[in-house]
Each structure stands twice: as structure tokens, then as C-alpha cells.
Amino acid sequence: MKRIDFRRVFMIVALASLVVVYAVLWVRMIASPAERTGADFIGFFTAARIFQQDGADHVYDPASQQAIEQKEVGFELVPGQVLLFNHMPYLLPILSLVVDANYVNSFVRWVILLLVFLFIDAVILARLLPAQTFRRRDILIAAAGMLLFFPTFTSILNGQDTVFLLLGMSLWTYGLLRNRDMMAGLGLSLVTIRPQLALILAIPLLFSKQRRWVWWWFLLGAFLLGILCLMVLGWDGTRNFVNFLLISAGGQWYGLHPEDMPTLSGFIRRTIPGADVQVIQFISWGTYLITIAGLCIHFGKSKEIGEQQIGLAVVVSLFVVPYLHYHDLACLLIPTFCLVRVLDETNFLETRNSALLPLALSIFLVMGFFHSSIRYLVVYIVMIGMICFLWFPERLLQVLHIQRKAS
């Protein structure tokens, strides 16, 4: 009797299941007026329409955003119901290329553009897998797992800009692992799409003797992007933009849903529903600053910035950053690919099996997401597992090898 190849069965079932689930969710969302106008894309659509009609200096005016959004939803909105566009101004020229007066068609074109950039992200990360040990088929499977990574899909379903964040993270990772400081620094400057995340990853590099130039390239890239923002918005528009960032940092506005964040601040809000907002912010920002100090020490003591340092920094940062949503967990692809490389280097898993890790994590996260009681528990299990394997891989893998032999 022919032996069943469970690996092949899992790969086929996982790929087919994710594709079907994603297709069903997308069709249901885009066909429902309530769901598609409730998606985050309405903020991007609104910003693009203001940019096209009134100019960039009006984009961050809440009244202007309210006027367009309530036209799309079909009823009057109070100011607190307006889903603010609190994203970087350099996205506006890109948005204006795909947005017109038709909301649905604009949404579809925006998603197509996001998929193009997601493909670019996948190519960059897939190139990090060593061709000496990974066959072409294994690399394609790992890349497919990245393209179907569940948090990334949630970002695309909502029309979010997370793939641009992931692009910056991918270039940063590729540059660090390939000793290309300019690519790493300029890539990290793109992470300023989420400023708090960019800072916690950038500052520790200043304390790394080997990769300090990455910090200076990051500053140059961030400075140039800042000049671009100022040129696009003007002084008045820039002041409005800064006010929006302060609102986001506090997590207090319609559509921000701070209790749904997979971060420490979200954990506190879910665990202690009546906790004082100022106390939560104090704890969150205090932990954020302490973590930066810890990463500075870790990077400073490390002989090199490799998979361990990169993966740990990303996982820990995603948890302690005060403001971050579920779709931003797409950045977990960075430590995932670091783990794939570690598992390959330590020979703990066969190459063809380690390539399945992105797919396996997606299935795990999907199963957790549709059960609200364990949604964030699943995320934290993934994070803790990644930290354990990246912090002391040799010791942990040795223990697992002993247990495997004993069984």
C-alpha cells in the first residue's frame, strides 16, 4: 500500500483552504455596502478625493473628511464617527492614481496595487532563503505562505497600507542579512508609515558598532521623506497631520478600537475593561521606552545583527508599540522567515518542512481569529514561540532533539 505523504496533503489543503476563505470573505465584503464602506479603505478614498479636489493642505481636515465619508455611507456622521486618514502624506500621490469618484472601482484598483507590492515583498524575503539548501519548489512554497499570510490578507481586505510597511521591513531585513547598510537604512525609513515602530527598530542600531551606518541611512531616508511630506502638505497641512498623529498615539477615536489591538495596551484594556486611560498610556509608553533601552543593550552586545537580533526586535516591538492593529501583524513574516533560516541552519527540520512554516502559522492564526475568545491568545502563543526559538535556539533545539529521540 502506498504511503500517504502528509506533508503534501497539508500543503494542498492549506493552500486551497486559505484561497477559498479569502475569496469568500473578499466577495462578501465588496458586495455589501455596509461592509465595504465600513472598511479602512474609506479613509484612504476620502483622503485621495480631497487631495484631487481641494489640494493636499485640506486632506487632514476632519470636516472635509466627514463631508466625503457621509456621502459614501449615505447618512450623516457625527465628528467622532469619521474614520480618520492618519497615514503618511507620501501615499497621497499613489492613491490619487487609482481613486476616482466610484468607490467600489477605486477599492478594487487599490487592492490590485496592494497585491503587486505584496508580490514584491514576497520576492525580497524569498531571496533570503539560501539556494544551497532550499530547492526552487521549497522557496515557492515559502513565498506562497507569505502571499497568503492571514494578517496580510486582513490588511488587504480592509484596504490598509500594511504592504508598504512590510516592504520597508523586508528591505531592512534583506539589507541587514546581506550587509547592505544603505538598503537596510532606507528600507527602515519606509517603516515611518508606523513612526513608533520605526523608532523602536532604528534607535538600537545606533549602538551596534557593526551596523551603525544603517542608522545614518535611516535618518537620511526619514529626512527626505519628511521634506517630501512638507512639500506635499505645506505648513498648515503639516500641522493638521501632526495633530492626527497625536490622536492616533492616544488611541482615542472612532475606528481606532484600542481594545482590539494585539499590543500590551490592548491586552490591558481587554483584561481590565475599566482601567484608566492615562494609566494604560503611562504603562504602555513606559514599557515602550524600557524596551528600546533593552534592545539598545542587546544590539550593542551582539557581535552581529543576524536572524536572532532581527526576529527578536520585530516580535517584541509589535507587542510593546502602544498603537498597532491586527493587520500590522503582517510584520510577523519577518521573524517567520528568520525562523525558517534558523531551523534550516540547525538542521532541526528538513528544508522542505521548514518552508511550510508561513503556511502553518496562517492556518493557526485563521483558526484563532474566528473564535473571539482565543483570537489574541493565539497571537501571543505565536509571539512567545518565536521569542523562545530566537532567544536561545541551540538550547531549545537540543532539548527537543533529546525528547524526539526518547520518544
Side-chain angles (χ1 to χ4, degrees):
M1 183 176 178
K2 189 175 181 181
R3 186 177 179 181
I4 299 176
D5 186 349
F6 289 102
R7 175 188 175 277
R8 184 179 180 85
V9 171
F10 168 78
M11 181 182 66
I12 294 173
V13 171
L15 287 171
S17 300
L18 291 175
V19 169
V20 170
V21 169
Y22 294 171
V24 170
L25 291 177
W26 163 256
V27 171
R28 189 185 72 176
M29 183 276 297
I30 202 67
S32 169
E35 288 193 31
R36 64 177 181 247
T37 55
D40 294 343
F41 176 71
I42 194 169
F44 292 84
F45 174 83
T46 299
R49 293 301 291 161
I50 296 173
F51 180 72
Q52 293 166 345
Q53 297 172 357
D54 303 321
D57 54 332
H58 291 87
V59 167
Y60 296 97
D61 173 25
S64 299
Q65 293 194 21
Q66 178 180 349
I68 291 182
E69 287 191 18
Q70 62 190 18
K71 179 181 178 182
E72 291 301 323
V73 301
F75 56 86
E76 187 174 352
L77 299 172
V78 299
Q81 290 180 308
V82 179
L83 190 61
L84 295 178
F85 176 78
N86 55 355
H87 301 267
M88 287 296 175
Y90 46 75
L91 290 174
L92 294 173
I94 300 175
L95 277 165
S96 65
L97 295 176
V98 297
V99 168
D100 60 17
N102 189 302
Y103 181 84
V104 175
N105 291 344
S106 299
F107 203 162
V108 172
R109 287 192 293 268
W110 177 241
V111 166
I112 292 172
L113 181 64
L114 295 180
L115 291 174
V116 170
F117 275 93
L118 177 59
F119 179 80
I120 295 172
D121 298 341
V123 169
I124 294 171
L125 288 180
R127 287 175 62 86
L128 286 174
L129 301 180
Q132 296 86 350
T133 54
F134 283 84
R135 294 178 296 176
R136 179 182 176 86
R137 183 176 61 183
D138 298 326
I139 294 175
L140 289 176
I141 291 171
M146 176 180 176
L147 291 171
L148 294 172
F149 196 57
F150 182 64
T152 309
F153 167 74
T154 63
S155 75
I156 292 176
L157 184 69
N158 278 288
Q160 269 287 348
D161 59 353
T162 313
V163 296
F164 298 104
L165 169 65
L166 188 57
L167 174 62
M169 298 278 281
S170 300
L171 290 172
W172 171 67
T173 304
Y174 189 92
L176 287 176
L177 294 178
R178 291 287 189 266
N179 294 316
R180 299 182 182 180
D181 290 352
M182 183 175 72
M183 176 185 291
L186 295 180
L188 190 55
S189 69
L190 293 177
V191 181
T192 53
I193 288 178
R194 306 289 187 271
Q196 300 164 28
L197 187 58
L199 285 176
I200 197 173
L201 295 175
I203 293 175
L205 292 167
L206 183 60
F207 295 83
S208 171
K209 296 179 181 179
Q210 298 82 9
R211 312 315 298 271
R212 193 168 293 166
W213 273 104
V214 177
W215 161 262
W216 297 112
W217 281 113
F218 162 75
L219 281 187
L220 176 62
F223 174 76
L224 293 176
L225 288 174
I227 294 297
L228 178 61
C229 291
L230 186 60
M231 291 174 61
V232 170
L233 294 179
W235 289 110
D236 291 338
T238 301
R239 279 195 294 269
N240 289 336
F241 172 60
V242 171
N243 289 334
F244 269 44
L245 290 182
L246 293 176
I247 292 173
S248 296
Q252 304 301 311
W253 195 272
Y254 173 79
L256 296 183
H257 301 296
E259 71 281 355
D260 292 333
M261 296 179 187
T263 58
L264 173 62
S265 61
F267 174 78
I268 296 173
R269 284 182 167 94
R270 290 189 299 274
T271 307
I272 313 174
D276 184 83
V277 173
Q278 292 185 344
V279 173
I280 295 175
Q281 291 183 356
F282 177 79
I283 295 174
S284 300
W285 282 104
T287 305
Y288 176 78
L289 295 175
I290 292 172
T291 303
I292 291 178
L295 289 175
C296 289
I297 295 172
H298 182 55
F299 275 45
K301 290 184 175 181
S302 299
K303 296 180 180 179
E304 62 176 0
I305 305 300
E307 294 92 343
Q308 183 199 46
Q309 290 75 22
I310 296 170
L312 282 173
V314 173
V315 176
V316 174
S317 298
L318 289 174
F319 180 68
V320 303
V321 167
Y323 171 71
L324 210 70
H325 277 298
Y326 189 95
H327 54 78
D328 291 318
L329 292 177
C331 295
L332 284 176
L333 280 168
I334 301 301
T336 298
F337 270 74
C338 289
L339 267 179
V340 170
R341 285 170 58 99
V342 168
L343 294 173
D344 175 61
E345 292 170 359
T346 56
N347 295 317
F348 177 70
L349 286 179
E350 293 183 34
T351 301
R352 67 193 195 110
N353 291 329
S354 62
L356 291 173
L357 185 58
L359 268 179
L361 288 178
S362 276
I363 294 295
F364 189 50
L365 290 169
V366 168
M367 293 171 61
F369 186 85
F370 291 104
H371 295 81
S372 57
S373 59
I374 62 170
R375 178 180 304 172
Y376 300 102
L377 175 62
V378 167
V379 172
Y380 298 144
I381 290 174
V382 170
M383 288 181 169
I384 292 172
M386 287 180 169
I387 290 173
C388 290
F389 273 96
L390 289 167
W391 187 260
F392 35 81
E394 295 84 4
R395 185 182 304 175
L396 183 59
L397 292 174
Q398 184 180 11
V399 171
L400 293 176
H401 271 304
I402 293 173
Q403 292 178 348
R404 181 183 292 180
K405 290 180 179 178
S407 61

